[in-house]
Amino acid sequence: PAPGAVVFVGSSSVRFWRSLAADMAPLRVLNRGFGGAQFNHVLHNLDRVVTPYAPRAVVVYVGDNDLAEGTGKDAQRVFDDYERFVARVRDRVPGIRIYFLAIKPSLARWARWPEMRRANAMIEARADGDDGLVYLDVAAPLLGDDGEPRDDVFIADGLHLSAEGYAAWTRVVQPRLLADLGPVH
């Protein structure tokens, strides 16, 4: 792919975003999501799935699998890995803007939501103090008026997004990328 696209990287929530190119138009994007990804996997593969493309910006969705039941990881570990990710991306692509998609609440991992919310808050606070970092709250649109995950934004597994879930993400992500970056032809 030609350099200068917006690279989306992260777990299966990115990999399954099959409408990503259309949803982000007129921005030029590359989908480099891979199933099961945790921060350490993204860091390990950074020089294969992100930096070779000389991205204009990076959008990352990771942390969901890190905080799944049984991993032994907590919000502080996710935040520390986020800091490592930011440092490595900036080292390889100076001046790049990095967008973090909030870890999503889901039906399948609802018991882990308090820890996910804590990680989100830490990353949001970090992004607030840095013009090159942006926290995008794609979690709130997935919650109903009762504060619990909406059924219609997930497929049957209760973890991965439905078309409506991706539409909710698009309504947050695409306008912000366009405002910050302008269209890429």
Side-chain angles (χ1 to χ4, degrees):
V6 177
V7 173
F8 282 68
V9 66
S11 66
S12 56
S13 293
V14 172
R15 184 172 71 92
F16 292 148
W17 199 343
R18 292 181 177 89
S19 60
L20 180 65
D23 291 346
M24 295 300 125
L27 293 163
R28 201 163 40 83
V29 299
L30 287 175
N31 186 327
R32 293 299 179 255
F34 52 98
Q38 295 181 28
F39 254 122
N40 59 318
H41 303 133
V42 173
L43 284 163
H44 178 78
N45 290 293
L46 191 70
D47 293 326
R48 284 187 261 173
V49 299
V50 176
T51 59
Y53 304 109
R56 185 169 185 208
V58 174
V59 178
V60 60
Y61 179 78
V62 71
D64 195 337
N65 292 322
D66 295 78
L67 294 174
E69 195 68 43
T71 65
K73 295 181 183 178
D74 63 8
Q76 185 64 53
R77 169 71 185 272
V78 169
F79 178 76
D80 293 345
D81 286 346
Y82 169 76
E83 290 281 59
R84 280 189 278 284
F85 175 81
V86 167
R88 288 208 29 217
V89 170
R90 286 179 164 172
D91 180 60
R92 287 154 173 78
V93 189
I96 193 165
R97 185 168 277 160
I98 300 167
Y99 296 82
F100 180 82
L101 302 182
I103 302 168
K104 72 182 182 313
S106 66
L107 299 165
R109 294 184 176 157
W110 185 238
R112 297 295 292 153
W113 178 235
E115 196 66 13
M116 293 171 171
R117 194 172 46 216
R118 195 165 81 83
N120 283 341
M122 294 168 77
I123 292 169
E124 182 178 22
R126 170 69 174 91
D128 283 346
D130 188 319
D131 289 339
L133 301 177
V134 179
Y135 173 87
L136 295 174
D137 186 0
V138 294
L142 305 182
L143 297 171
D145 292 336
D146 61 358
E148 296 194 11
R150 295 170 33 203
D151 291 339
D152 66 320
V153 296
F154 296 98
I155 62 173
D157 68 5
L159 178 63
H160 295 98
L161 295 174
S162 66
E164 179 52 38
Y166 284 115
W169 276 19
T170 298
R171 288 188 291 272
V172 173
V173 178
Q174 195 257 11
R176 178 60 190 264
L177 291 179
L178 275 177
D180 289 354
L181 305 173
V184 179
H185 301 289

